Each structure stands twice: as structure tokens, then as C-alpha cells.
Amino acid sequence: MSEKTIFKKIIDREVPADIVFEDEICLAFKDVNPQAPVHILIIPKKEIASTDKLSAEDAELLCHIYTVVLPYLVSEFALSGGYRLVTNCGNNGGQTVYHLHFHLLGGRFMGWPPG
Ligand code: AMP
């Protein structure tokens, strides 16, 4: 069996995190190395390595993130003025943790293009 990712360890409460949302499908917690005043990671509890491992059966999970978790966090962290939701995929995408996650960044103006 392959080793647990750090995010799976957070789900299993083997590693502490500053958790800001949890339900049966998802977990959201503050990024340990924030790149903006608000930097939250939203992850599914289901172990999916990255966006290129998603399948049609994950449609409900993705919808849940966008329509339940995200609006909750936008309200809770006062991001109605705008925010950025980022998913890095693979080596060239800058992904370092191979458990699907969405970076929710806000609290400052976001430049474009990203680095
Ligand atoms: P990525 O590079 O897109 O895979 O993003 C991984 C993110 O996880 C980075 O922004 C890290 O700062 C963050 N991270 C790594 N370990 C932890 C941890 N134990 N708690 C919170 N965030 C973490």
C-alpha cells in the first residue's frame, strides 16, 4: 500500500491542521504557508491524486465543493469582493501534494498571469 499523503493524515487526524469546514464529503483547512491573507485548502475526503484522476462518478463531489463548501467559505471569510480558486496539477502545474485540493486565495488583489 502506498504511503498516506499529508492531507490524508490531516483527514485521519494524524497531523494537526486549522480546520475551517468539515462535512462527510470534504474538509477545508488553512494553508500552512499562506500566499494571501486568506489561503484555505479545500479537499475531498475521497483519495483522488489530482484533477487528471477525476471520473464522471466524482461529479457530485465537485458540485458539492462549488455549491456548498465554497459559498460557505466565501461568506465566512468575507470574500464577496472576489477570490481565486486554483488547482495545480502535476509537476509542471506545481502540484506538490498528490491529494486533489483547491487553493482558495483572497483578501488581496490577485495579479495575472500567475508565475
Ligand atoms: P500544491 O503545491 O498545489 O500541491 O499545494 C500544496 C499546498 O499544501 C501548499 O500550499 C502547502 O503550503 C500546503 N501544505 C502542505 N502541508 C500542509 C499542512 N500540513 N497543513 C496545511 N497546508 C499544508
Side-chain angles (χ1 to χ4, degrees):
M1 210 171 89
S2 58
E3 209 190 315
K4 282 185 184 182
T5 66
I6 188 80
F7 292 174
K8 177 61 175 159
K9 289 179 182 173
I10 289 172
I11 292 168
D12 291 343
R13 302 301 201 271
E14 293 169 7
V15 166
D18 190 347
I19 293 170
V20 294
F21 177 91
E22 181 169 24
D23 65 12
E24 68 282 2
I25 302 169
C26 291
L27 194 66
F29 52 90
K30 292 187 181 173
D31 195 294
V32 77
N33 183 22
Q35 302 301 311
V38 176
H39 187 171
I40 293 166
L41 300 171
I42 305 170
I43 68 172
K45 288 187 173 175
K46 179 178 174 183
E47 288 182 274
I48 302 167
S50 62
T51 49
D52 56 8
K53 300 294 182 196
L54 283 162
S55 67
E57 72 179 29
D58 299 315
E60 201 176 323
L61 181 161
L62 291 173
C63 184
H64 184 76
I65 288 174
Y66 277 90
T67 63
V68 176
V69 187
L70 186 57
Y72 170 83
L73 293 171
V74 166
S75 167
E76 197 67 14
F77 289 89
L79 299 177
S80 60
Y83 57 84
R84 183 164 292 165
L85 195 64
V86 179
T87 301
N88 299 322
C89 182
N91 189 50
N92 280 0
Q95 185 174 9
T96 58
V97 178
Y98 282 78
H99 182 121
L100 179 65
H101 53 281
F102 297 82
H103 296 257
L104 174 59
L105 297 146
R108 66 166 169 81
F109 180 81
M110 299 290 156
W112 191 265

